[in-house]
DNA sequence: TCCTGGATAGAGCGCTCGTTCTAGTGAGGC
DNA sequence: GCCTCACTAGAACGAGCGCTCTATCCAGGA
């Protein structure tokens, strides 16, 4: 018999965390790495150290409801990563370049597996699963706002800040995909440097 | 009985095209729109006006071999789109901005469905299906080279041209995803303008 | 002590997946 | 006329999918 109310077979870092939270985290990472369609619910349950019954207990809406929760979790996680990277410097150009470095390092350390937590799922479900698409949309909007705040705080006007945030987010997202495909930090680092130059050119 | 050697049920534009080519085109479009895992071979055959037997006749390696061919087809298709956009102007900054406009228009006209033909498949199969990942890698490299040639021809040094090409491709790829998720041309257009400014700042 | 209800557990359902297999068709060489 | 072989056609298979269902467990209230 297994231990009751808690499974020890999960990673040590996640001991003591509630089942629902473990399921969401496992789902987020798996969707990030192998997409929505490519990830089975049984695998998610297994990775979370939970059973199928528990998953459907917490997410009666099934895979779709679980995906929305996973995207929202990835949203917060990635926003924290951006904030941490941006906090590295007061100068917005340096901050963005540092941000790219942070993303590149995290990507390499995960053996190029953990890129943006929503891109894969977003592209697979575009126009076919409205709740998921909306969660992805809110995530992108959220990250863009994190960047825009930094630019406004650095003295940029509202419009400039918004445009820069849109450009920088797109560039970082695209560079992350390139880095994953090429298995190299170079696209992210190069893009980070270019974005820093663009920001200085607008100051 | 169906007509022999050719099926009329396909789109008129594809009448007279060989079965293999029709299958590759259908696969490319479906992978682009709903990803690798989310697309079944039976659906591909149906969309191509072919039968399962024909698909496995031309692609004995199954779904994986078909995906490689589809990625390579998308590679050429997207490279042509980039070239056409870049040909709009001799000035590299204007050319890139025009490129973004072309991509935005095509995206809107497909109701935000037809984005980059490899991103979705690339992210789903990363590190798990080497042949597909390599095809994706070659596609990105190819597109970057299309941009680099334009920049070199415009007077940029080899290193500058390569860095700019890397940045612009990443930015356009990321902006295309944003435009699809937001269902708006704005991310692509804004990113195009920013890239033009970056290129001018480097001239 | 018994009851209640949130949480756990996993067998089993219908279905679709990728793939295999055999049968059949017809244009072109002899 | 007939043989050959590239190609078409689709039934069938095992595996795995998302999901449902019933049974069980156990902490806390009465």
């Amino acid at each position: 018999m297994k231990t009751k109310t808690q499974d020890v077979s999960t990673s040590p870092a996640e001991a003591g965390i509630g089942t629902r939270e473990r399921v969401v985290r496992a789902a987020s990472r798996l969707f990030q790495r192998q997409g929505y369609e490519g990830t089975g619910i049984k695998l998610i349950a297994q990775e979370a150290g939970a059973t199928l019954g528990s998953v459907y207990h917490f997410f009666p809406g099934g895979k779709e409801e679980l995906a929305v929760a996973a995207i929202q979790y990835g949203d917060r996680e990635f926003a924290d990563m951006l904030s941490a990277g941006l906090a590295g410097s007061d100068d917005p150009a340096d901050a963005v370049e540092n941000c790219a470095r942070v993303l590149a390092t995290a990507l390499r350390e995960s053996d190029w597996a953990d890129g943006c937590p929503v891109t894969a799922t977003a592209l697979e479900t575009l126009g076919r699963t409205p709740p998921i698409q909306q969660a992805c949309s809110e995530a992108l909007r959220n990250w863009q706002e994190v960047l825009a705040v930094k630019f406004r705080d650095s003295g940029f006007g509202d419009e400039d800040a918004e445009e820069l945030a849109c450009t920088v987010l797109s560039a970082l997202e695209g560079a992350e995909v390139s880095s994953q495909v090429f298995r190299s930090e170079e696209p992210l680092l190069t893009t980070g440097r270019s974005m820093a130059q663009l920001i200085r050119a607008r100051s």
Side-chain angles (χ1 to χ4, degrees), chain A residues 71-194:
Chain A
I71 293 292
Q72 289 168 342
Y73 177 84
D75 176 0
R76 292 191 299 273
E77 194 183 40
F78 200 71
D80 289 344
M81 213 166 173
L82 285 180
S83 296
L86 289 178
S89 170
D90 281 341
D91 176 61
D94 288 342
V96 164
E97 193 173 347
N98 185 60
C99 214
R101 266 196 301 267
V102 168
L103 291 177
T105 301
L107 202 51
R108 176 173 42 78
E109 285 176 349
S110 72
D111 196 30
W112 318 105
D114 296 337
C116 169
V118 323
T119 314
T121 303
L123 288 177
E124 276 177 297
T125 61
L126 256 175
R128 299 189 300 155
T129 324
I132 298 180
Q133 176 168 1
Q134 191 185 332
C136 293
S137 171
E138 286 166 4
L140 287 187
R141 178 67 63 196
N142 187 17
W143 303 337
Q144 189 171 321
E145 188 55 23
V146 168
L147 289 166
V149 164
K150 180 78 179 182
F151 295 140
R152 281 199 295 270
D153 287 351
S154 306
F156 283 96
D158 284 6
E159 201 169 328
D160 263 12
E162 206 65 37
E163 278 195 25
L164 273 179
C166 174
T167 302
V168 169
L169 182 62
S170 292
L172 289 180
E173 289 273 350
E176 192 143 41
V177 173
S178 291
S179 280
Q180 287 186 273
V181 171
F182 290 140
R183 300 178 65 86
S184 157
E185 296 186 56
E186 195 253 334
L188 265 170
L189 298 183
T190 297
T191 301
R193 254 180 288 124
S194 293

